[in-house]
Amino acid sequence: MAEEEDTYGIADIEELEEMEAPDLPYRPADPDAGDLSIALIGTGGISDQHLTAYRDAGYDVVALCNRTREKAEERREEFYPDADVYTDYDEVLAREDVDVVDLLPHPVARESIIEDSLRAGKHVLSQKPFVVDLEFGERMVDLAAEEGVALAVNQNGRWAPHWSYVRHAISEGLIGEPHGVRFAVDWNHNWIVDTEIDDIEHAVLYDFAIHWFDILTCFMGAAEPKRVYASYEPSPSQRADPPLLGAAIVEYDGAQATLSFDADTKLGPEDRTYVAGTEGTIASEGPDLEEQTVTLYTAEGYATPDLEGTWFPDGFRGAMAELLSAIEEDREPENSGRNNLRSLELCYAAVASAEDHEPKVPGEVREMRGETGAASESK
């Protein structure tokens, strides 16, 4: 009798038949009208992914702003020849024809720009990590509501094809209630040497892993994390300054998630996502974030969807598309600042736990002590 009830035992998985993959809306969904004008404030390295995505989607970018004019002009020539170039973002915010501002500067430098943009009545897409202080983030969420504008965060991993398919499968109930989530990421992050990221002490658990804490929050839905245990250590062969080894365990009622990062894997990189639920399992694996194979296991059989697209740049298209659609439909975007604060609570708790070697409760750790420092717990 016990063997018959063991629906997901190894022997039973081997006996599962291949089935047609469920058709899920994992691709970015563009707004219907597409008549909103966008301005980029900040045209550094990652801006090429934003602009590639927007150009491919046919979005209307009318202005590019950077303190170094030449950088903005280079992006204009490459992507949007008709866009205007500025060195002062106040001039961008003064334009009545700018509906949305995409803010790319680093978190601390971005704070005043977020507030000024909201007060100017502009819809905002903020780069991740959204803020370094939860209180400030909460005030910006409230300010956006007061001004009647949308505030979203560029958590572009939500629209990476593999993660987007997984989160839609979970939300459709295809695997029941998730109770075991595992992420394992092994890659070479030493490219950050001689960049600003090399100065961020928690480049792995904070700047990079915010994508994983965010997608975990999406996978778990309304479930509230109870405790986080985390650690970080330098690898003996790393060239980057920040410790490149990190791990975290997140506890929920009736569920647990583990996250493992080795950013000094110079050969044989691998990226895995595994979600076990009460009615099935869904997993994704591949050599990197771009090349992933998803497999769904249910009592009806197993399926491997043929996914289109890649995280870069499709994830960036998805983040902006969701904001534009929300504006058009007069609703809060799924990637809203309010929603993203839950992910930051998880991330801050992990950083603080790694620092103190003690479990932390998400929400009690309120800020990062500067972008190169540790998380600070409220007393």
Side-chain angles (χ1 to χ4, degrees):
M1 183 67 178
E3 290 183 0
E4 293 179 2
E5 293 177 350
D6 187 16
T7 308
Y8 300 109
I10 294 175
D12 296 300
I13 287 180
E14 292 176 348
E15 294 172 2
L16 288 176
E17 294 185 0
E18 187 171 6
M19 63 179 183
E20 184 176 352
D23 185 14
L24 301 175
Y26 70 93
R27 295 286 289 159
D30 294 318
D32 291 333
D35 57 355
L36 296 171
S37 296
I38 302 168
L40 258 71
I41 297 178
T43 58
I46 198 64
S47 65
D48 65 333
Q49 297 295 331
H50 293 244
L51 292 168
T52 297
Y54 303 163
R55 180 188 59 191
D56 292 350
Y59 297 161
D60 185 21
V61 175
V62 298
L64 302 168
C65 180
N66 197 287
R67 289 176 298 181
T68 304
R69 186 177 183 86
E70 290 74 18
K71 290 184 178 180
E73 290 176 340
E74 288 175 5
R75 293 298 192 223
R76 175 176 65 180
E77 292 175 11
E78 184 176 2
F79 293 100
Y80 283 90
D82 295 330
D84 295 318
V85 166
Y86 299 88
T87 57
D88 183 349
Y89 74 81
D90 285 327
E91 295 182 31
V92 176
L93 299 183
R95 286 184 54 160
E96 293 185 1
D97 64 333
V98 170
D99 302 299
V100 179
V101 288
D102 185 4
L103 309 183
L104 278 67
H106 292 292
V108 173
R110 193 170 58 235
E111 288 182 350
S112 60
I113 310 177
I114 293 176
E115 184 165 4
D116 290 344
S117 299
L118 295 174
R119 293 192 184 281
K122 307 301 182 185
H123 304 285
V124 171
L125 179 66
S126 167
Q127 186 56 272
K128 65 82 198 168
F130 174 32
V131 293
V132 296
D133 184 324
L134 293 180
E135 182 178 349
F136 175 77
E138 290 164 355
R139 286 199 290 109
M140 292 303 98
V141 168
D142 290 341
L143 178 60
E146 292 170 8
E147 296 291 339
V149 293
L151 170 59
V153 181
N154 186 26
Q155 290 289 174
N156 43 75
R158 298 186 185 195
W159 289 272
H162 65 296
W163 273 354
S164 186
Y165 192 92
V166 172
R167 68 184 176 92
H168 279 95
I170 294 170
S171 67
E172 291 289 329
L174 299 184
I175 66 167
E177 293 295 322
H179 58 74
V181 181
R182 297 200 303 272
F183 299 105
V185 191
D186 302 275
W187 83 111
N188 189 353
H189 210 53
N190 285 288
W191 66 267
I192 66 174
V193 172
D194 297 327
T195 73
E196 292 179 342
I197 299 175
D198 204 39
D199 295 327
I200 302 176
E201 181 177 356
H202 291 282
V204 171
L205 283 179
Y206 167 62
D207 185 75
F208 184 73
I210 182 58
H211 286 298
W212 277 258
F213 290 120
D214 182 71
I215 203 66
L216 173 60
T217 302
C218 291
F219 288 175
M220 296 305 295
E224 292 293 340
K226 299 191 300 181
R227 279 177 297 276
V228 179
Y229 308 76
S231 67
Y232 75 129
E233 288 289 335
S235 163
S237 62
Q238 69 175 66
R239 294 186 298 110
D241 284 340
L244 293 186
L245 307 178
I249 299 175
V250 184
E251 290 184 355
Y252 299 84
D253 283 329
Q256 185 181 79
T258 62
L259 305 88
S260 173
F261 304 94
D262 186 333
D264 192 37
T265 303
K266 298 181 178 69
L267 298 169
E270 188 174 63
D271 180 274
R272 290 191 175 199
T273 297
Y274 186 93
V275 186
T278 55
E279 312 247 347
T281 298
I282 189 164
S284 181
E285 62 181 330
D288 54 39
L289 301 174
E290 301 295 297
E291 186 179 339
Q292 289 281 307
T293 299
V294 174
T295 306
L296 169 68
Y297 300 93
T298 71
E300 288 72 39
Y302 74 92
T304 302
D306 185 13
L307 301 180
E308 298 179 2
T310 55
W311 185 333
F312 284 46
D314 291 341
F316 295 81
R317 179 172 181 169
M320 178 60 81
E322 171 58 17
L323 172 59
L324 297 179
S325 297
I327 296 169
E328 187 176 276
E329 297 164 15
D330 193 24
R331 60 173 174 81
E332 185 168 287
E334 292 181 11
N335 54 334
S336 69
R338 186 189 317 278
N339 175 275
N340 191 238
L341 289 175
R342 295 182 65 216
S343 304
L344 283 176
E345 289 177 355
L346 205 54
C347 181
Y348 288 9
V351 169
S353 177
E355 286 278 342
D356 298 344
H357 308 290
E358 296 178 353
K360 301 295 179 181
V361 176
E364 292 185 359
V365 181
R366 302 297 296 171
E367 63 181 0
M368 299 288 293
R369 293 196 294 268
E371 291 182 65
T372 59
S376 178
E377 193 169 8
S378 62
K379 302 298 182 183

